[in-house]
Amino acid sequence: MSTAPRVGVLALQGDFREHLGVLRELGAEAVPVRRPDELASVSGLVIPGGESTVMDKLSRAFGLREPLLEAIAGGLPVYGTCAGLIMLADRVLDAIEGQQTLGGLDVTVRRNAFGSQLDSFETDIPMPVLGEPAVHAVFIRAPVVESLGEKAAAIGALDDGRVVAVEQGSLLGTSFHPEVTGDYRFHEYFLSKVRAA
Ligand SMILES: NC(=O)CC[C@H](N)C(=O)O
């Protein structure tokens, strides 16, 4: 019998409680991560949606930036949603002055890419890695992946071709919020990476 994987959700800011709930529903031992020792105790990490500029500042204030960089470099499976995707991106457009990301995903993302007229919307996105049916995706002041480097792969795009889901080894990122839809295939996919790591 395999034991439940212990996974963390970065709990500095944003909708971390929703992710903790989903991961627990899927049978994982899910814990909030705010301190380096908590990060060291998990075998996977979700970076939730929220506000990437605030998460960036808080990660430095909490002494988590360096441990997070080391964990990502060391191959920890990490899944970033929305602001979490921004945190995982190597390059960011429309960042605020001084904003830093953790990086890891060889992509360029644009923050708040849908503008102020269309802050939030929902649509179905075919996602071959998850099979049928298409994923119902909820976007909230979301980023898009404007370009991908060689190491990253697009795994989901809008009808107009804009990439909103990416994967690179043990890293996974989505512009949208699977934790609010009741369709937990993305979290299951992430947990399969954790188990395989
Ligand atoms: N729902 C979200 O996570 C929004 C992301 C936010 N616009 C940012 O730049 O960080």
Side-chain angles (χ1 to χ4, degrees), residues 103-158:
L105 284 172
D106 184 13
V107 298
T108 302
V109 298
R110 183 180 295 281
R111 293 179 60 229
N112 302 328
F114 298 96
S116 52
Q117 291 94 336
L118 193 56
D119 261 356
S120 304
F121 66 100
E122 303 184 16
T123 188
D124 290 337
I125 300 183
M127 208 71 69
V129 295
L130 301 182
E132 296 292 331
V135 168
H136 187 68
V138 176
F139 293 82
I140 306 167
R141 297 179 46 246
V144 294
V145 178
E146 289 236 338
S147 62
L148 292 93
E150 274 174 16
K151 293 180 226 143
I155 56 171
L158 296 168

Side-chain angles (χ1 to χ4, degrees), residues 32-111:
V33 167
R34 296 189 185 86
R35 297 194 317 251
D37 62 314
E38 291 167 337
L39 178 63
S41 78
V42 297
S43 48
L45 182 74
V46 172
I47 305 182
E51 178 49 59
S52 56
T53 56
V54 179
M55 246 180 247
D56 168 37
K57 286 189 186 128
L58 290 177
S59 69
R60 286 183 260 166
F62 279 63
L64 265 177
R65 181 174 167 80
E66 292 305 320
L68 283 166
L69 291 173
E70 278 167 30
I72 293 168
L76 184 77
V78 185
Y79 173 26
T81 59
C82 203
L85 166 62
I86 297 170
M87 293 299 290
L88 283 180
D90 282 347
R91 298 165 293 276
V92 188
L93 302 172
D94 293 338
I96 65 162
E97 173 104 34
Q99 179 174 1
Q100 288 181 292
T101 69
L102 299 165
L105 284 172
D106 184 13
V107 298
T108 302
V109 298
R110 183 180 295 281
R111 293 179 60 229

Side-chain angles (χ1 to χ4, degrees), residues 151-170:
K151 293 180 226 143
I155 56 171
L158 296 168
D159 285 346
D160 63 10
R162 282 187 289 180
V163 173
V164 291
V166 290
E167 180 173 29
Q168 183 178 327
S170 57

